[in-house]
Amino acid sequence: MRSHLSGALLGYAADVLFGDPRRGHPVAVFGSFATRLERRLWRDDRAAGAVFTAVCVGGAALAGAAAQRALRARPLPRAALTAAAAWAVLGGTSLAREAEAVGAALAAGDLDAARERLPHLCGRDPQALDADGIARAVVESVAENTSDAVVGALVWGAVAGVPGLVGFRAANTLDAMVGHRSPRHLRFGWSAARLDDVAGWPGARLSGLLAVAIGPDRAGAVRAWRRDAGRHPSPNAGVVEAAFAGALGVRLGGTLSYGGRIEHRPVLNAAGRAVEVADINRAVRLSRRVGALALAVTLAGRAAATSPRGGSTRKAGGRDVV
């Protein structure tokens, strides 16, 4: 327990202080491996996609489990392993930096710079968006990735340690690569998309609850969640985006473009106002607070789940055993 506690705290602090590793990022290495494997395994059917998903995500989780098991009797190296894994999979600081960079470009009136920077944050077609559309896309991305890049990883880290951290990030990365509804990946990416839905379920709900608890408008967050989350095409993004929309008092959703495809998504928190550039920084502040509180909640939950029941002292043969 202490190894995970100290390791998770150090990894979270490293992400806050430094953001993502500049070179040799493990997620990028995983992505390169998955790309090469896809070329070998791709078939236009779900079975091939299931094998691909099992090899990629299962392999990552098993590697984490093997490393953790090898260090089970060495608390300090095990804590260092947990810290390294947490730093590698958490992306809250990079998320905030990219969002703030787009916001700064919009605030300066430099729409071209904002469009150029937006693909670092999400997959929208930037040329199809005006300033208001870019601001809305950023707020939606901050909300969704608060769960995907921070809270979900913390939840699975608390549940399963290093294998949970790397397995969750592998599933989330694979969904971003092949889980979308393009003609090539409609069937092949089905397993990756469904696995990401399952893995993301607890983190999205915790993110929504924390946004309700510490957001500027608690009642608005609850209303938007209850009324609109289920209308979103994603069972997880809908929860977080609706809770953020209500908490910030803004209106999200509507028409958007991905890779030339036009989507008409339900409006979230229709009673809210249109997103403004200043709302980007408000969303980032809420995201950071949700992430910090999620760290505290998940570590407290792991401590409660692993602590001895009935107290730390018991009687054995007339003597206290501690």
Side-chain angles (χ1 to χ4, degrees), residues 135-186:
R136 189 191 62 168
V138 171
V139 172
E140 290 172 353
S141 184
V142 168
E144 180 178 1
N145 284 294
T146 297
S147 175
D148 288 345
V150 184
V151 181
L154 292 173
V155 168
W156 284 105
V159 170
V162 172
L165 287 167
V166 298
F168 173 80
R169 189 59 188 268
N172 187 249
T173 301
L174 211 62
D175 176 62
M177 294 176 64
V178 305
H180 42 84
R181 293 180 175 273
S182 66
R184 176 179 173 85
H185 293 132
L186 184 62

mmCIF file of all heavy atoms in Angstrom, residues 135-186:
data_model
loop_
_atom_site.group_PDB
_atom_site.id
_atom_site.type_symbol
_atom_site.label_atom_id
_atom_site.label_comp_id
_atom_site.label_asym_id
_atom_site.label_seq_id
_atom_site.Cartn_x
_atom_site.Cartn_y
_atom_site.Cartn_z
ATOM 1 N N ALA A 135 -13.360 27.484 -29.381
ATOM 2 C CA ALA A 135 -13.467 27.575 -27.923
ATOM 3 C C ALA A 135 -14.347 26.453 -27.375
ATOM 4 O O ALA A 135 -14.012 25.827 -26.359
ATOM 5 C CB ALA A 135 -14.023 28.938 -27.525
ATOM 6 N N ARG A 136 -15.446 26.179 -28.056
ATOM 7 C CA ARG A 136 -16.320 25.094 -27.605
ATOM 8 C C ARG A 136 -15.612 23.750 -27.703
ATOM 9 O O ARG A 136 -15.713 22.910 -26.804
ATOM 10 C CB ARG A 136 -17.600 25.072 -28.437
ATOM 11 C CG ARG A 136 -18.652 24.117 -27.909
ATOM 12 C CD ARG A 136 -19.782 23.928 -28.894
ATOM 13 N NE ARG A 136 -19.294 23.326 -30.144
ATOM 14 C CZ ARG A 136 -20.086 22.835 -31.096
ATOM 15 N NH1 ARG A 136 -21.385 22.874 -30.970
ATOM 16 N NH2 ARG A 136 -19.567 22.323 -32.182
ATOM 17 N N ALA A 137 -14.883 23.523 -28.806
ATOM 18 C CA ALA A 137 -14.158 22.264 -28.983
ATOM 19 C C ALA A 137 -13.126 22.075 -27.881
ATOM 20 O O ALA A 137 -12.939 20.959 -27.377
ATOM 21 C CB ALA A 137 -13.473 22.236 -30.348
ATOM 22 N N VAL A 138 -12.454 23.153 -27.483
ATOM 23 C CA VAL A 138 -11.447 23.060 -26.429
ATOM 24 C C VAL A 138 -12.088 22.696 -25.097
ATOM 25 O O VAL A 138 -11.603 21.823 -24.373
ATOM 26 C CB VAL A 138 -10.657 24.382 -26.312
ATOM 27 C CG1 VAL A 138 -9.757 24.358 -25.084
ATOM 28 C CG2 VAL A 138 -9.830 24.614 -27.566
ATOM 29 N N VAL A 139 -13.187 23.359 -24.749
ATOM 30 C CA VAL A 139 -13.855 23.065 -23.479
ATOM 31 C C VAL A 139 -14.346 21.623 -23.457
ATOM 32 O O VAL A 139 -14.208 20.912 -22.453
ATOM 33 C CB VAL A 139 -15.010 24.055 -23.227
ATOM 34 C CG1 VAL A 139 -15.833 23.629 -22.015
ATOM 35 C CG2 VAL A 139 -14.456 25.471 -23.013
ATOM 36 N N GLU A 140 -14.914 21.155 -24.559
ATOM 37 C CA GLU A 140 -15.382 19.767 -24.627
ATOM 38 C C GLU A 140 -14.214 18.792 -24.485
ATOM 39 O O GLU A 140 -14.322 17.766 -23.796
ATOM 40 C CB GLU A 140 -16.127 19.529 -25.945
ATOM 41 C CG GLU A 140 -17.466 20.230 -26.010
ATOM 42 C CD GLU A 140 -18.116 20.143 -27.383
ATOM 43 O OE1 GLU A 140 -17.470 19.649 -28.328
ATOM 44 O OE2 GLU A 140 -19.273 20.586 -27.515
ATOM 45 N N SER A 141 -13.092 19.102 -25.119
ATOM 46 C CA SER A 141 -11.930 18.234 -25.034
ATOM 47 C C SER A 141 -11.341 18.221 -23.631
ATOM 48 O O SER A 141 -10.931 17.167 -23.121
ATOM 49 C CB SER A 141 -10.863 18.680 -26.042
ATOM 50 O OG SER A 141 -9.772 17.798 -26.052
ATOM 51 N N VAL A 142 -11.291 19.366 -22.989
ATOM 52 C CA VAL A 142 -10.804 19.424 -21.609
ATOM 53 C C VAL A 142 -11.673 18.559 -20.706
ATOM 54 O O VAL A 142 -11.176 17.796 -19.866
ATOM 55 C CB VAL A 142 -10.755 20.882 -21.112
ATOM 56 C CG1 VAL A 142 -10.545 20.927 -19.595
ATOM 57 C CG2 VAL A 142 -9.651 21.648 -21.817
ATOM 58 N N ALA A 143 -12.978 18.665 -20.872
ATOM 59 C CA ALA A 143 -13.885 17.873 -20.044
ATOM 60 C C ALA A 143 -13.664 16.379 -20.262
ATOM 61 O O ALA A 143 -13.446 15.615 -19.307
ATOM 62 C CB ALA A 143 -15.337 18.254 -20.360
ATOM 63 N N GLU A 144 -13.708 15.948 -21.525
ATOM 64 C CA GLU A 144 -13.579 14.514 -21.809
ATOM 65 C C GLU A 144 -12.228 13.975 -21.369
ATOM 66 O O GLU A 144 -12.130 12.892 -20.777
ATOM 67 C CB GLU A 144 -13.774 14.262 -23.307
ATOM 68 C CG GLU A 144 -13.661 12.789 -23.681
ATOM 69 C CD GLU A 144 -13.913 12.539 -25.154
ATOM 70 O OE1 GLU A 144 -14.155 13.512 -25.898
ATOM 71 O OE2 GLU A 144 -13.868 11.360 -25.559
ATOM 72 N N ASN A 145 -11.160 14.722 -21.625
ATOM 73 C CA ASN A 145 -9.828 14.226 -21.321
ATOM 74 C C ASN A 145 -9.466 14.349 -19.846
ATOM 75 O O ASN A 145 -8.482 13.750 -19.406
ATOM 76 C CB ASN A 145 -8.794 14.939 -22.192
ATOM 77 C CG ASN A 145 -8.809 14.409 -23.608
ATOM 78 O OD1 ASN A 145 -8.466 13.263 -23.861
ATOM 79 N ND2 ASN A 145 -9.254 15.244 -24.539
ATOM 80 N N THR A 146 -10.232 15.112 -19.085
ATOM 81 C CA THR A 146 -10.054 15.065 -17.637
ATOM 82 C C THR A 146 -10.290 13.644 -17.131
ATOM 83 O O THR A 146 -9.570 13.144 -16.260
ATOM 84 C CB THR A 146 -11.011 16.038 -16.947
ATOM 85 O OG1 THR A 146 -10.702 17.381 -17.356
ATOM 86 C CG2 THR A 146 -10.906 15.947 -15.427
ATOM 87 N N SER A 147 -11.281 12.991 -17.709
ATOM 88 C CA SER A 147 -11.539 11.593 -17.365
ATOM 89 C C SER A 147 -10.526 10.667 -18.017
ATOM 90 O O SER A 147 -9.918 9.821 -17.362
ATOM 91 C CB SER A 147 -12.955 11.213 -17.797
ATOM 92 O OG SER A 147 -13.201 9.837 -17.591
ATOM 93 N N ASP A 148 -10.287 10.817 -19.311
ATOM 94 C CA ASP A 148 -9.441 9.884 -20.041
ATOM 95 C C ASP A 148 -7.969 9.993 -19.659
ATOM 96 O O ASP A 148 -7.260 8.984 -19.590
ATOM 97 C CB ASP A 148 -9.573 10.129 -21.549
ATOM 98 C CG ASP A 148 -10.907 9.658 -22.092
ATOM 99 O OD1 ASP A 148 -11.607 8.901 -21.394
ATOM 100 O OD2 ASP A 148 -11.265 10.054 -23.220
ATOM 101 N N ALA A 149 -7.480 11.208 -19.457
ATOM 102 C CA ALA A 149 -6.050 11.413 -19.240
ATOM 103 C C ALA A 149 -5.653 11.520 -17.778
ATOM 104 O O ALA A 149 -4.452 11.538 -17.477
ATOM 105 C CB ALA A 149 -5.590 12.678 -19.984
ATOM 106 N N VAL A 150 -6.638 11.610 -16.880
ATOM 107 C CA VAL A 150 -6.293 11.785 -15.469
ATOM 108 C C VAL A 150 -7.093 10.829 -14.578
ATOM 109 O O VAL A 150 -6.540 9.890 -13.999
ATOM 110 C CB VAL A 150 -6.520 13.247 -15.004
ATOM 111 C CG1 VAL A 150 -6.073 13.425 -13.558
ATOM 112 C CG2 VAL A 150 -5.783 14.229 -15.902
ATOM 113 N N VAL A 151 -8.376 11.074 -14.470
ATOM 114 C CA VAL A 151 -9.170 10.384 -13.447
ATOM 115 C C VAL A 151 -9.263 8.888 -13.709
ATOM 116 O O VAL A 151 -9.107 8.076 -12.795
ATOM 117 C CB VAL A 151 -10.568 11.022 -13.343
ATOM 118 C CG1 VAL A 151 -11.390 10.313 -12.258
ATOM 119 C CG2 VAL A 151 -10.462 12.509 -13.026
ATOM 120 N N GLY A 152 -9.514 8.499 -14.966
ATOM 121 C CA GLY A 152 -9.623 7.075 -15.267
ATOM 122 C C GLY A 152 -8.356 6.323 -14.912
ATOM 123 O O GLY A 152 -8.401 5.218 -14.352
ATOM 124 N N ALA A 153 -7.199 6.898 -15.234
ATOM 125 C CA ALA A 153 -5.929 6.246 -14.901
ATOM 126 C C ALA A 153 -5.754 6.127 -13.396
ATOM 127 O O ALA A 153 -5.281 5.093 -12.887
ATOM 128 C CB ALA A 153 -4.772 7.029 -15.511
ATOM 129 N N LEU A 154 -6.114 7.162 -12.646
ATOM 130 C CA LEU A 154 -6.000 7.110 -11.190
ATOM 131 C C LEU A 154 -6.907 6.034 -10.606
ATOM 132 O O LEU A 154 -6.520 5.326 -9.663
ATOM 133 C CB LEU A 154 -6.339 8.472 -10.592
ATOM 134 C CG LEU A 154 -5.348 9.599 -10.885
ATOM 135 C CD1 LEU A 154 -5.901 10.934 -10.378
ATOM 136 C CD2 LEU A 154 -3.986 9.311 -10.252
ATOM 137 N N VAL A 155 -8.100 5.896 -11.149
ATOM 138 C CA VAL A 155 -9.021 4.864 -10.667
ATOM 139 C C VAL A 155 -8.428 3.480 -10.872
ATOM 140 O O VAL A 155 -8.372 2.660 -9.944
ATOM 141 C CB VAL A 155 -10.381 4.983 -11.387
ATOM 142 C CG1 VAL A 155 -11.242 3.746 -11.112
ATOM 143 C CG2 VAL A 155 -11.119 6.241 -10.932
ATOM 144 N N TRP A 156 -7.975 3.185 -12.085
ATOM 145 C CA TRP A 156 -7.450 1.854 -12.361
ATOM 146 C C TRP A 156 -6.111 1.614 -11.685
ATOM 147 O O TRP A 156 -5.773 0.470 -11.345
ATOM 148 C CB TRP A 156 -7.374 1.618 -13.868
ATOM 149 C CG TRP A 156 -8.724 1.344 -14.425
ATOM 150 C CD1 TRP A 156 -9.508 2.194 -15.154
ATOM 151 C CD2 TRP A 156 -9.489 0.144 -14.261
ATOM 152 N NE1 TRP A 156 -10.709 1.597 -15.447
ATOM 153 C CE2 TRP A 156 -10.715 0.340 -14.924
ATOM 154 C CE3 TRP A 156 -9.243 -1.066 -13.622
ATOM 155 C CZ2 TRP A 156 -11.707 -0.645 -14.954
ATOM 156 C CZ3 TRP A 156 -10.219 -2.051 -13.639
ATOM 157 C CH2 TRP A 156 -11.431 -1.832 -14.305
ATOM 158 N N GLY A 157 -5.341 2.666 -11.448
ATOM 159 C CA GLY A 157 -4.125 2.517 -10.660
ATOM 160 C C GLY A 157 -4.438 2.118 -9.235
ATOM 161 O O GLY A 157 -3.764 1.271 -8.644
ATOM 162 N N ALA A 158 -5.473 2.731 -8.664
ATOM 163 C CA ALA A 158 -5.871 2.376 -7.302
ATOM 164 C C ALA A 158 -6.409 0.954 -7.235
ATOM 165 O O ALA A 158 -6.208 0.241 -6.243
ATOM 166 C CB ALA A 158 -6.925 3.366 -6.805
ATOM 167 N N VAL A 159 -7.088 0.511 -8.282
ATOM 168 C CA VAL A 159 -7.664 -0.838 -8.300
ATOM 169 C C VAL A 159 -6.600 -1.904 -8.523
ATOM 170 O O VAL A 159 -6.591 -2.942 -7.844
ATOM 171 C CB VAL A 159 -8.744 -0.931 -9.392
ATOM 172 C CG1 VAL A 159 -9.185 -2.377 -9.609
ATOM 173 C CG2 VAL A 159 -9.946 -0.062 -9.034
ATOM 174 N N ALA A 160 -5.691 -1.670 -9.471
ATOM 175 C CA ALA A 160 -4.791 -2.744 -9.897
ATOM 176 C C ALA A 160 -3.324 -2.351 -9.959
ATOM 177 O O ALA A 160 -2.518 -3.099 -10.505
ATOM 178 C CB ALA A 160 -5.230 -3.258 -11.270
ATOM 179 N N GLY A 161 -2.939 -1.208 -9.425
ATOM 180 C CA GLY A 161 -1.542 -0.832 -9.409
ATOM 181 C C GLY A 161 -1.004 -0.524 -10.790
ATOM 182 O O GLY A 161 -1.709 -0.009 -11.668
ATOM 183 N N VAL A 162 0.250 -0.872 -11.032
ATOM 184 C CA VAL A 162 0.900 -0.585 -12.308
ATOM 185 C C VAL A 162 0.173 -1.220 -13.489
ATOM 186 O O VAL A 162 -0.026 -0.561 -14.519
ATOM 187 C CB VAL A 162 2.381 -1.012 -12.264
ATOM 188 C CG1 VAL A 162 3.026 -0.894 -13.642
ATOM 189 C CG2 VAL A 162 3.151 -0.161 -11.257
ATOM 190 N N PRO A 163 -0.266 -2.494 -13.402
ATOM 191 C CA PRO A 163 -1.022 -3.053 -14.537
ATOM 192 C C PRO A 163 -2.284 -2.257 -14.841
ATOM 193 O O PRO A 163 -2.655 -2.111 -16.009
ATOM 194 C CB PRO A 163 -1.367 -4.471 -14.069
ATOM 195 C CG PRO A 163 -0.369 -4.785 -13.026
ATOM 196 C CD PRO A 163 -0.039 -3.496 -12.351
ATOM 197 N N GLY A 164 -2.943 -1.738 -13.820
ATOM 198 C CA GLY A 164 -4.128 -0.925 -14.046
ATOM 199 C C GLY A 164 -3.798 0.379 -14.734
ATOM 200 O O GLY A 164 -4.518 0.818 -15.648
ATOM 201 N N LEU A 165 -2.713 1.014 -14.336
ATOM 202 C CA LEU A 165 -2.310 2.273 -14.957
ATOM 203 C C LEU A 165 -2.002 2.089 -16.434
ATOM 204 O O LEU A 165 -2.555 2.787 -17.298
ATOM 205 C CB LEU A 165 -1.071 2.832 -14.242
ATOM 206 C CG LEU A 165 -1.270 3.435 -12.849
ATOM 207 C CD1 LEU A 165 0.086 3.640 -12.172
ATOM 208 C CD2 LEU A 165 -2.012 4.764 -12.932
ATOM 209 N N VAL A 166 -1.102 1.144 -16.741
ATOM 210 C CA VAL A 166 -0.670 1.000 -18.137
ATOM 211 C C VAL A 166 -1.753 0.345 -18.989
ATOM 212 O O VAL A 166 -1.895 0.663 -20.178
ATOM 213 C CB VAL A 166 0.653 0.221 -18.227
ATOM 214 C CG1 VAL A 166 1.758 0.974 -17.500
ATOM 215 C CG2 VAL A 166 0.525 -1.196 -17.679
ATOM 216 N N GLY A 167 -2.541 -0.562 -18.399
ATOM 217 C CA GLY A 167 -3.610 -1.192 -19.163
ATOM 218 C C GLY A 167 -4.680 -0.200 -19.551
ATOM 219 O O GLY A 167 -5.172 -0.215 -20.686
ATOM 220 N N PHE A 168 -5.040 0.686 -18.627
ATOM 221 C CA PHE A 168 -6.051 1.701 -18.948
ATOM 222 C C PHE A 168 -5.553 2.629 -20.047
ATOM 223 O O PHE A 168 -6.284 2.921 -21.008
ATOM 224 C CB PHE A 168 -6.414 2.517 -17.713
ATOM 225 C CG PHE A 168 -7.320 3.678 -18.027
ATOM 226 C CD1 PHE A 168 -8.681 3.470 -18.195
ATOM 227 C CD2 PHE A 168 -6.818 4.963 -18.188
ATOM 228 C CE1 PHE A 168 -9.530 4.532 -18.525
ATOM 229 C CE2 PHE A 168 -7.656 6.023 -18.504
ATOM 230 C CZ PHE A 168 -9.014 5.801 -18.676
ATOM 231 N N ARG A 169 -4.318 3.096 -19.925
ATOM 232 C CA ARG A 169 -3.815 4.022 -20.944
ATOM 233 C C ARG A 169 -3.681 3.327 -22.290
ATOM 234 O O ARG A 169 -3.917 3.937 -23.350
ATOM 235 C CB ARG A 169 -2.479 4.617 -20.521
ATOM 236 C CG ARG A 169 -1.996 5.753 -21.428
ATOM 237 C CD ARG A 169 -3.017 6.903 -21.455
ATOM 238 N NE ARG A 169 -2.678 7.905 -22.439
ATOM 239 C CZ ARG A 169 -1.937 8.992 -22.196
ATOM 240 N NH1 ARG A 169 -1.432 9.194 -20.990
ATOM 241 N NH2 ARG A 169 -1.706 9.867 -23.128
ATOM 242 N N ALA A 170 -3.320 2.053 -22.285
ATOM 243 C CA ALA A 170 -3.232 1.313 -23.541
ATOM 244 C C ALA A 170 -4.602 1.214 -24.203
ATOM 245 O O ALA A 170 -4.737 1.404 -25.415
ATOM 246 C CB ALA A 170 -2.653 -0.081 -23.298
ATOM 247 N N ALA A 171 -5.634 0.903 -23.417
ATOM 248 C CA ALA A 171 -6.988 0.801 -23.973
ATOM 249 C C ALA A 171 -7.457 2.139 -24.513
ATOM 250 O O ALA A 171 -8.056 2.220 -25.598
ATOM 251 C CB ALA A 171 -7.947 0.293 -22.896
ATOM 252 N N ASN A 172 -7.175 3.208 -23.795
ATOM 253 C CA ASN A 172 -7.591 4.538 -24.226
ATOM 254 C C ASN A 172 -6.854 4.971 -25.492
ATOM 255 O O ASN A 172 -7.450 5.548 -26.410
ATOM 256 C CB ASN A 172 -7.334 5.535 -23.095
ATOM 257 C CG ASN A 172 -7.890 6.905 -23.372
ATOM 258 O OD1 ASN A 172 -7.137 7.838 -23.578
ATOM 259 N ND2 ASN A 172 -9.198 7.031 -23.371
ATOM 260 N N THR A 173 -5.563 4.676 -25.553
ATOM 261 C CA THR A 173 -4.776 5.021 -26.741
ATOM 262 C C THR A 173 -5.236 4.226 -27.952
ATOM 263 O O THR A 173 -5.364 4.766 -29.062
ATOM 264 C CB THR A 173 -3.283 4.757 -26.473
ATOM 265 O OG1 THR A 173 -2.861 5.531 -25.348
ATOM 266 C CG2 THR A 173 -2.440 5.124 -27.677
ATOM 267 N N LEU A 174 -5.501 2.950 -27.753
ATOM 268 C CA LEU A 174 -5.933 2.112 -28.863
ATOM 269 C C LEU A 174 -7.288 2.569 -29.405
ATOM 270 O O LEU A 174 -7.519 2.561 -30.615
ATOM 271 C CB LEU A 174 -6.021 0.655 -28.397
ATOM 272 C CG LEU A 174 -5.738 -0.411 -29.458
ATOM 273 C CD1 LEU A 174 -4.317 -0.277 -29.969
ATOM 274 C CD2 LEU A 174 -5.975 -1.799 -28.889
ATOM 275 N N ASP A 175 -8.176 2.994 -28.520
ATOM 276 C CA ASP A 175 -9.468 3.515 -28.971
ATOM 277 C C ASP A 175 -9.279 4.753 -29.836
ATOM 278 O O ASP A 175 -9.949 4.922 -30.859
ATOM 279 C CB ASP A 175 -10.345 3.839 -27.763
ATOM 280 C CG ASP A 175 -11.665 4.471 -28.172
ATOM 281 O OD1 ASP A 175 -12.442 3.807 -28.873
ATOM 282 O OD2 ASP A 175 -11.911 5.634 -27.792
ATOM 283 N N ALA A 176 -8.354 5.627 -29.444
ATOM 284 C CA ALA A 176 -8.091 6.830 -30.241
ATOM 285 C C ALA A 176 -7.513 6.478 -31.611
ATOM 286 O O ALA A 176 -7.726 7.200 -32.588
ATOM 287 C CB ALA A 176 -7.127 7.746 -29.490
ATOM 288 N N MET A 177 -6.826 5.350 -31.698
ATOM 289 C CA MET A 177 -6.194 4.963 -32.950
ATOM 290 C C MET A 177 -7.156 4.260 -33.898
ATOM 291 O O MET A 177 -7.173 4.541 -35.097
ATOM 292 C CB MET A 177 -4.991 4.051 -32.665
ATOM 293 C CG MET A 177 -3.854 4.729 -31.931
ATOM 294 S SD MET A 177 -2.513 3.577 -31.524
ATOM 295 C CE MET A 177 -1.950 3.124 -33.171
ATOM 296 N N VAL A 178 -7.948 3.315 -33.372
ATOM 297 C CA VAL A 178 -8.770 2.477 -34.254
ATOM 298 C C VAL A 178 -10.238 2.427 -33.849
ATOM 299 O O VAL A 178 -11.039 1.762 -34.516
ATOM 300 C CB VAL A 178 -8.216 1.034 -34.329
ATOM 301 C CG1 VAL A 178 -6.764 1.017 -34.749
ATOM 302 C CG2 VAL A 178 -8.382 0.304 -32.990
ATOM 303 N N GLY A 179 -10.611 3.099 -32.767
ATOM 304 C CA GLY A 179 -11.973 2.953 -32.262
ATOM 305 C C GLY A 179 -13.010 3.839 -32.914
ATOM 306 O O GLY A 179 -14.191 3.749 -32.590
ATOM 307 N N HIS A 180 -12.615 4.695 -33.832
ATOM 308 C CA HIS A 180 -13.565 5.599 -34.477
ATOM 309 C C HIS A 180 -14.290 4.893 -35.620
ATOM 310 O O HIS A 180 -13.874 3.840 -36.108
ATOM 311 C CB HIS A 180 -12.851 6.851 -34.988
ATOM 312 C CG HIS A 180 -11.530 6.574 -35.643
ATOM 313 N ND1 HIS A 180 -11.412 6.202 -36.952
ATOM 314 C CD2 HIS A 180 -10.270 6.578 -35.133
ATOM 315 C CE1 HIS A 180 -10.148 6.004 -37.251
ATOM 316 N NE2 HIS A 180 -9.415 6.219 -36.167
ATOM 317 N N ARG A 181 -15.374 5.489 -36.082
ATOM 318 C CA ARG A 181 -16.244 4.835 -37.061
ATOM 319 C C ARG A 181 -15.851 5.155 -38.499
ATOM 320 O O ARG A 181 -16.676 5.558 -39.303
ATOM 321 C CB ARG A 181 -17.705 5.238 -36.803
ATOM 322 C CG ARG A 181 -18.265 4.703 -35.506
ATOM 323 C CD ARG A 181 -19.706 5.126 -35.319
ATOM 324 N NE ARG A 181 -20.286 4.522 -34.130
ATOM 325 C CZ ARG A 181 -20.868 3.340 -34.085
ATOM 326 N NH1 ARG A 181 -20.937 2.613 -35.186
ATOM 327 N NH2 ARG A 181 -21.377 2.870 -32.975
ATOM 328 N N SER A 182 -14.591 4.967 -38.833
ATOM 329 C CA SER A 182 -14.164 5.116 -40.215
ATOM 330 C C SER A 182 -14.431 3.803 -40.949
ATOM 331 O O SER A 182 -14.581 2.746 -40.314
ATOM 332 C CB SER A 182 -12.672 5.441 -40.274
ATOM 333 O OG SER A 182 -11.906 4.342 -39.810
ATOM 334 N N PRO A 183 -14.503 3.818 -42.270
ATOM 335 C CA PRO A 183 -14.739 2.567 -43.002
ATOM 336 C C PRO A 183 -13.707 1.491 -42.678
ATOM 337 O O PRO A 183 -14.042 0.308 -42.578
ATOM 338 C CB PRO A 183 -14.668 3.002 -44.469
ATOM 339 C CG PRO A 183 -15.079 4.445 -44.447
ATOM 340 C CD PRO A 183 -14.526 4.994 -43.168
ATOM 341 N N ARG A 184 -12.451 1.874 -42.493
ATOM 342 C CA ARG A 184 -11.402 0.893 -42.212
ATOM 343 C C ARG A 184 -11.567 0.261 -40.834
ATOM 344 O O ARG A 184 -11.278 -0.929 -40.652
ATOM 345 C CB ARG A 184 -10.018 1.553 -42.316
ATOM 346 C CG ARG A 184 -8.866 0.622 -41.932
ATOM 347 C CD ARG A 184 -7.519 1.321 -42.087
ATOM 348 N NE ARG A 184 -6.433 0.503 -41.583
ATOM 349 C CZ ARG A 184 -5.801 -0.446 -42.268
ATOM 350 N NH1 ARG A 184 -6.165 -0.709 -43.506
ATOM 351 N NH2 ARG A 184 -4.812 -1.132 -41.734
ATOM 352 N N HIS A 185 -12.032 1.044 -39.861
ATOM 353 C CA HIS A 185 -12.025 0.581 -38.475
ATOM 354 C C HIS A 185 -13.412 0.284 -37.914
ATOM 355 O O HIS A 185 -13.532 -0.013 -36.725
ATOM 356 C CB HIS A 185 -11.337 1.625 -37.592
ATOM 357 C CG HIS A 185 -9.875 1.780 -37.881
ATOM 358 N ND1 HIS A 185 -9.270 3.002 -38.045
ATOM 359 C CD2 HIS A 185 -8.898 0.851 -38.067
ATOM 360 C CE1 HIS A 185 -7.982 2.831 -38.299
ATOM 361 N NE2 HIS A 185 -7.737 1.527 -38.321
ATOM 362 N N LEU A 186 -14.431 0.353 -38.739
ATOM 363 C CA LEU A 186 -15.785 0.141 -38.232
ATOM 364 C C LEU A 186 -15.920 -1.209 -37.547
ATOM 365 O O LEU A 186 -16.508 -1.319 -36.467
ATOM 366 C CB LEU A 186 -16.799 0.257 -39.371
ATOM 367 C CG LEU A 186 -18.273 0.145 -38.976
ATOM 368 C CD1 LEU A 186 -18.658 1.269 -38.024
ATOM 369 C CD2 LEU A 186 -19.155 0.170 -40.220
#
